[in-house]
Amino acid sequence: MSLNWQEMLFQFFGGLGLFLFSIKYMGDGLQKSAGDRLRDILDRYTTNPMMGVLVGILVTVLIQSSSGTTVITVGLVSAGFMTLRQAIGVIMGANIGTTFTAFIIGFDIGQFAYLVLAIGAFLLFFFKKNSIQNIGQIIFGLGGLFVGLELMSNGMKPLQELPTFIDMALRISENSILGVILGALVTLIIQSSSATIGILQGLYGEGLMPLHGALPILFGDNIGTTLTAVLASIGASVAARRVAAMHVLFNVIGTIIFLLILPQFTLYIEWLAGVAGLEPKMQIAFAHGSFNVVNTMIQLPLIGVWAYVVTKLIPGEDSVIEYKPRSLDLHFIEASPAIAIGQAKEEVLRMGKYSIRGLEETFEYLKTNDKKNATNVLQYEEAINSLDQKITDYLVKVSAQPLSDTDSTRHHILLENVRDIERIGDHFENIVELIDYKTVNGVQLSDHAINDLSEMFTLTIETVQKAILALDTTNHGLAIDVTKKEELIDQMERTFRKKHIHRLNLGQCSAHSGIVFTDIVSNLERIGDHAVNIAEAILQKH
């Protein structure tokens, strides 16, 4: 018999595209409904591995992406919010949470898919309230998911009459290792374990593959989803590589265990299907869920062992940018406000050091265009914002206590310093965005412009360094030196603007490059202003 390959392929890949879009769209709606609390949930409630597993399940269900949960987790480990042991628990939970989509697919509500789409579209187009729009997005994504599955299934149906495909399916069924490799490769190519499971459910549902052949592909799918995290961690921090390695190790060990008991696991799913009357698609969903739940139960007690193993596999010291304050003890606020102010100063100095490192990384990004520098800059900026909030809250509580004149002055200066350092972070973040704009739009800065920016960057970094040192030592001479350097920065800005206009008139640079150049210069000048504010606060104290 002749098959209409064009129609089959168009239906399958069109359905796959719609499925992937719908999963992303539904996940975005769920994430917006949850607000920006996902990182806080991960930070606050992963106090032990068991809680980490539960939080990993919750966050993955909310964002519909185990890889997304892993990325957030890596960020928290790098920021010092979470230990490697806590992260391992979250990753185990993420593997369980990703089975949620398979269970949704398992319910046969495809006949209502278009109605679900219509309801979602109605909420999206006729309501302006954000909360209703988010619900509409979730419902529309759910409907699109089922329409995509139906298209994929219809595209695969004719294959049941194709002898070549039947032979290939039987060959895979007889070789479990081949099934695992196939599952891992398909997931790596598609970049979505949920989509691979959906395809597998379609194949099994259409009778194109026996259960004992489908299960190894299912196991391979779990390995494939970890390869995304591995690719993302290349060139990343030591913490990121360790978390990615743990993700791979967890699923590879689980796959080996389940391959060894494949006949027994197949019998278990068949028994479950008979007892509960499960449809083929739901059988795959229960197999996926059982694999991840049992794998987690087996490996959860071994978290300490795996943390040790990945630390040995990926040695090295990781540069952790701690977002959390180290010294703000609430007990000192009432017991000794003077000590509390001293603790706040330690955290303000740490903020200052982060601002220096952020500036240095921004300068490196300008010179090298290496995305690793940009990532570091954004981490420093986030850490500064986090410390700013915590320190300000702490100092506000201190202000409710009776303070001596000296302590009151120290308190006021620190509040001013915190604001200035936070603004320095905002300005170097602006510069990173300008460099990104330059790269994306192919804007070229002339050698003269690069030399001018390098000179101004060097002076600005030196000025901020002296301002933070003056704050640390309360050194009057250093503070005066900062004010002199800030005057040089102001003078440099005026000179460089004139030089830029001259280059523009000579046609040595474009209008776009001029905008980038002047905006970077302006941000550096504003950083100098905030550095001098820190110095002047010290001078006023004397």
Side-chain angles (χ1 to χ4, degrees), residues 12-13 15-16 19-20 105 149 152-153 156 165 186-187 190 192-206 208-209 217 281 284:
F12 177 77
F13 286 109
L16 178 60
F19 181 92
L20 291 170
I105 296 168
L149 281 170
M152 282 196 290
S153 184
M156 289 185 290
F165 183 83
V186 172
T187 303
I190 298 175
S192 169
S193 59
S194 296
T196 310
I197 298 295
I199 294 167
L200 187 61
Q201 284 174 303
L203 286 168
Y204 182 60
E206 295 296 336
L208 295 169
M209 185 170 286
I217 296 175
K281 287 182 179 179
I284 296 295

Side-chain angles (χ1 to χ4, degrees), residues 193-435:
S193 59
S194 296
T196 310
I197 298 295
I199 294 167
L200 187 61
Q201 284 174 303
L203 286 168
Y204 182 60
E206 295 296 336
L208 295 169
M209 185 170 286
L211 182 62
H212 70 273
L215 291 177
I217 296 175
L218 180 71
F219 305 154
D221 157 71
N222 284 276
I223 294 174
T225 197
T226 68
L227 297 177
T228 307
V230 171
L231 292 174
S233 71
I234 293 171
S237 65
V238 172
R241 297 202 299 276
R242 283 174 183 165
V243 172
M246 180 55 226
H247 201 185
V248 175
L249 187 64
F250 173 72
N251 282 294
V252 169
I253 296 291
T255 296
I256 292 169
I257 292 168
F258 276 81
L259 283 177
L260 292 173
I261 59 166
L262 182 60
Q264 292 81 0
F265 189 58
T266 306
L267 289 172
Y268 158 73
I269 296 299
E270 288 173 346
W271 169 81
L272 197 61
V275 171
L278 301 177
E279 294 294 323
K281 287 182 179 179
M282 194 57 86
Q283 290 175 35
I284 296 295
F286 268 92
H288 194 204
S290 299
F291 170 84
N292 282 300
V293 170
V294 173
N295 190 24
T296 298
M297 289 171 66
I298 291 170
Q299 298 198 53
L300 189 60
L302 303 173
I303 280 181
V305 175
W306 294 146
Y308 176 80
V309 168
V310 294
T311 303
K312 290 297 179 185
L313 283 173
I314 304 170
E317 290 294 322
D318 197 24
S319 54
V320 173
I321 303 169
E322 288 187 69
Y323 289 36
K324 284 184 174 179
R326 300 171 185 166
S327 310
L328 303 182
D329 192 331
L330 293 173
H331 295 101
F332 285 121
I333 292 175
E334 288 187 16
S336 178
I339 294 176
I341 291 169
Q343 289 195 315
K345 182 179 177 180
E346 289 301 313
E347 296 301 333
V348 173
L349 289 171
R350 189 149 67 93
M351 268 184 81
K353 288 171 184 172
Y354 283 173
S355 71
I356 295 165
R357 289 294 303 128
L359 264 173
E360 289 170 343
E361 291 283 353
T362 305
F363 188 23
E364 284 301 312
Y365 187 43
L366 175 69
K367 292 187 288 187
T368 64
N369 233 31
D370 188 339
K371 277 290 178 187
K372 187 176 179 182
N373 296 124
T375 302
N376 289 341
V377 171
L378 297 180
Q379 283 188 331
Y380 279 117
E381 205 276 330
E382 281 186 24
I384 288 169
N385 286 345
S386 178
L387 287 171
D388 167 42
Q389 184 182 345
K390 297 290 191 302
I391 296 166
T392 302
D393 289 346
Y394 189 77
L395 287 171
V396 167
K397 288 173 183 172
V398 171
S399 67
Q401 304 300 315
L403 301 174
S404 67
D405 290 343
T406 302
D407 287 339
S408 183
T409 303
R410 290 170 65 210
H411 179 274
H412 175 73
I413 288 173
L414 288 177
L415 275 173
E416 293 290 326
N417 295 156
V418 166
R419 187 180 63 186
D420 282 307
I421 294 170
E422 191 275 331
R423 292 296 295 137
I424 289 172
D426 290 342
H427 285 298
F428 63 61
E429 183 184 27
N430 291 344
I431 295 173
V432 166
E433 289 171 0
L434 288 164
I435 298 169

Side-chain angles (χ1 to χ4, degrees), residues 48 91 139 147 163 172 213 224 262 271 280 299 319 336 381 443-444 452 510 533:
N48 60 65
I91 286 167
I139 294 172
V147 173
I172 291 169
L262 182 60
W271 169 81
Q299 298 198 53
S319 54
S336 178
E381 205 276 330
V443 175
Q444 295 293 326
D452 287 348
S510 66
N533 287 346

